[in-house]
Amino acid sequence: MKTTATSFVTGERVVVAVVVSRILLSLPLSLISHGFSLFLLSLSAFLVEIRAETSPFLLSRFSSRRGASSGILLGAVTLPSVMISKLVQLSRAISFHEAEQDELAHVTMQYWAASASCCAILIYLSVIMSQARNAESLSSSSVWLMRVSLTGTVLYGVACFVSLSMISHTGLNTSLKMLWMLFHGLAALKLIQHLLCTFPSCASIGEALLVTSGLVLYFGDFLACTIAKIFEKLIPVDLVSISYGIRRTETGIIVQGLLLGLLLFPIVFRIVLHIYESSLRKRDARQRNCSVTAKSILFFVSLLFFIIVAVPSWMQFVHDFDQHPFLWVLTFVFSEPLKRLSLCIYWVLLIVVSVSRFYNISRNSKVERILLRKYYHLMAVLMFLPALVLQPKFLDLAFGAALAVFVVLEIIRVWRIQPLGEPLHQFMNAFTDHRDSEHLIVSHFSLLLGCALPIWMSSGFNDRALSPFAGILSLGIGDTMASMVGHKYGVLRWSKTGKKTVEGTAAGITSVMAVCFVLVPILASMGYILSQGWWSLLVAVTATGMLEAYTAQLDNAFIPLVFYSLLCL
């Protein structure tokens, strides 16, 4: 029994428990119900993860990424932890009369929507594992785990209802909001099933859980705006008027609309391709599919129409642009042409030189792939750190454009659209490792999103000057130094089976703290609000470094969000 109990306590779970405890201890009294729900969600995720890893049924049901643990606990608590940290920050803003109650109400909705998605997926995973009872009898411990998980889910629903009732003025608003939570949960269930079945061996269950809850939250936010434009009197205002604590801006609408439109494009193109092939079969019954050339032409024509006409029309419907959104982008860029065009030229030159250099090294050198990939982390620091200090608004837009390009290129690579599909596939394979697969290459997405998300979420009121730098510091500095020092000088390993070393982790934590010591005076001289103590910063950096050392999940996805949530406290 001692061995079994000890096996339940892993380094990753301990670090997650420390992070959640740090968040709970920082909550004001007004957020106690939210903290209670986060505790219940963490407990339920912990129990589900134990059941998943002690029973092979769930892991064999889905083809998760090889070499990774299930990651259910980390995947379930990450996004709700980020949102509740934003609530803590907004609570301080309201006490200083620098934010409105409507902003707090909307971020509260975002928190409950994210946690509802995670809770629904946990219930789904529990149901799947309970189906194994026909093949094997349930032990008393399994029955206990099921009962505790069910009790936690019921209590979570009660906490959610109480919280939503407190921020609603009528019972109708409460009912609509509960239905909105239900929509997020059902959408998350459908999406995670699609991801795990369509892209086998591309992600662990925890990684798929984080991606699913994030996409549903992001898409649901924009969908709420669209519905509100159609039925303005039926949708509560606090569902749609505020986005992540700020009034909606043209930049936010363009980035959100473009990314969501491109994610929907594969569905649209499949429909267009099906209609085209059906018309061909009507003309000639012997012709089943269109040629490769015709498919490529149809793809690029559909893509151009979708980007130039369909998506901008959606943006203009949601937000009142006085011109075409892409013309607005050009006007925005040329409003400060010297700074912004110079920054674009700097980025292009850095990308061309770095990518060509690293590609030749990857083909002709014996340098380990993991070290080669860390050079891209350093390149991210060189690209984003100056822009974040000097041109933060332009960087918001640039991140959206870069992610849009990545999505288009990945669609072309996966579908092998001629003439770019096959050469692009061979080029991208030069930078992949064991966490990527031929079905989906995610490392470049996770690196860019890891740097972009803390910056996007720090828009509006922000009394923690270092929070926008969470991705750049944790990935570009900490993760890179930990890998390089650990690979060259590491001797003491954190675990017998892992590759992470004590020396590497210490180097990562020390390097991040050293950069913060340099960065803080620079930000202070530029007028940034500096209200965070060095002790809380040390706790955030150390917890993030320990998570990088122990987790087997895709660290580019989790570490920046965990670091950001701790910096906001």
Side-chain angles (χ1 to χ4, degrees), residues 236-278:
V237 174
D238 52 1
L239 268 178
V240 297
S241 61
I242 310 294
S243 176
Y244 298 111
I246 62 171
R247 300 278 174 191
R248 294 186 185 275
T249 62
E250 288 85 355
T251 301
I253 290 293
I254 289 173
V255 171
Q256 196 172 15
L258 181 61
L259 293 179
L260 293 177
L262 289 176
L263 291 175
L264 292 174
F265 173 73
I267 301 175
V268 176
F269 179 67
R270 285 183 181 275
I271 296 174
V272 172
L273 186 62
H274 176 73
I275 294 174
Y276 178 72
E277 291 179 342
S278 298

Side-chain angles (χ1 to χ4, degrees), residues 318-462:
V318 171
H319 187 84
D320 295 326
F321 286 92
D322 55 359
Q323 56 185 329
H324 192 281
F326 290 162
L327 293 178
W328 183 92
V329 171
L330 292 176
T331 304
F332 176 76
V333 172
F334 284 98
S335 62
E336 296 183 32
L338 181 61
K339 294 181 180 180
R340 291 170 179 172
L341 291 179
S342 299
L343 195 58
C344 290
I345 294 172
Y346 167 70
W347 285 340
V348 171
L349 291 176
L350 186 61
I351 291 172
V352 171
V353 173
S354 300
V355 171
S356 60
R357 174 63 176 166
F358 296 157
Y359 181 69
N360 292 330
I361 292 176
S362 67
R363 296 185 62 185
N364 304 319
S365 175
K366 295 183 179 179
V367 177
E368 286 200 20
R369 192 67 59 86
I370 185 64
L371 294 181
L372 185 63
R373 289 158 63 92
K374 297 308 174 184
Y375 291 132
Y376 281 97
H377 288 218
L378 291 176
M379 189 178 77
V381 176
L382 295 176
M383 290 181 63
F384 304 142
L385 189 59
L388 181 55
V389 175
L390 301 175
Q391 285 286 320
K393 293 183 179 179
F394 180 59
L395 184 60
D396 288 347
L397 188 63
F399 272 131
L403 281 170
V405 171
F406 280 0
V407 171
V408 171
L409 292 179
E410 186 64 11
I411 293 173
I412 293 174
R413 187 197 68 83
V414 170
W415 283 356
R416 300 296 195 276
I417 302 297
Q418 298 298 328
L420 301 176
E422 192 59 35
L424 188 61
H425 175 69
Q426 295 176 3
F427 176 80
M428 292 299 298
N429 273 342
F431 305 102
T432 58
D433 64 4
H434 63 282
R435 291 174 295 187
D436 294 307
S437 70
E438 290 192 358
H439 297 286
L440 195 64
I441 298 178
V442 298
S443 296
H444 53 302
F445 284 104
S446 61
L447 176 59
L448 191 62
L449 277 172
C451 295
L453 287 176
I455 297 173
W456 285 341
M457 291 185 294
S458 298
S459 301
F461 174 81
N462 180 35

Side-chain angles (χ1 to χ4, degrees), residues 11-12 15-16 18-19 22 74 469-479 482 494 500 504-506 508-510 512-513 536-551 555-568:
E12 181 181 297
V15 174
V16 172
V18 170
V19 171
R22 173 74 177 91
L74 180 60
F469 298 86
I472 298 173
L473 291 174
S474 60
L475 297 181
I477 304 297
D479 188 32
W494 286 107
K500 306 296 178 64
T505 302
I509 295 173
T510 304
V512 173
M513 290 300 298
S536 61
L537 176 62
L538 179 61
V539 171
V541 173
T542 303
T544 306
M546 295 304 298
L547 179 62
E548 190 277 335
Y550 277 114
T551 186
D555 48 9
N556 289 359
F558 289 99
I559 290 177
L561 294 178
V562 172
F563 191 31
Y564 173 82
S565 63
L566 293 175
L567 288 177
C568 287

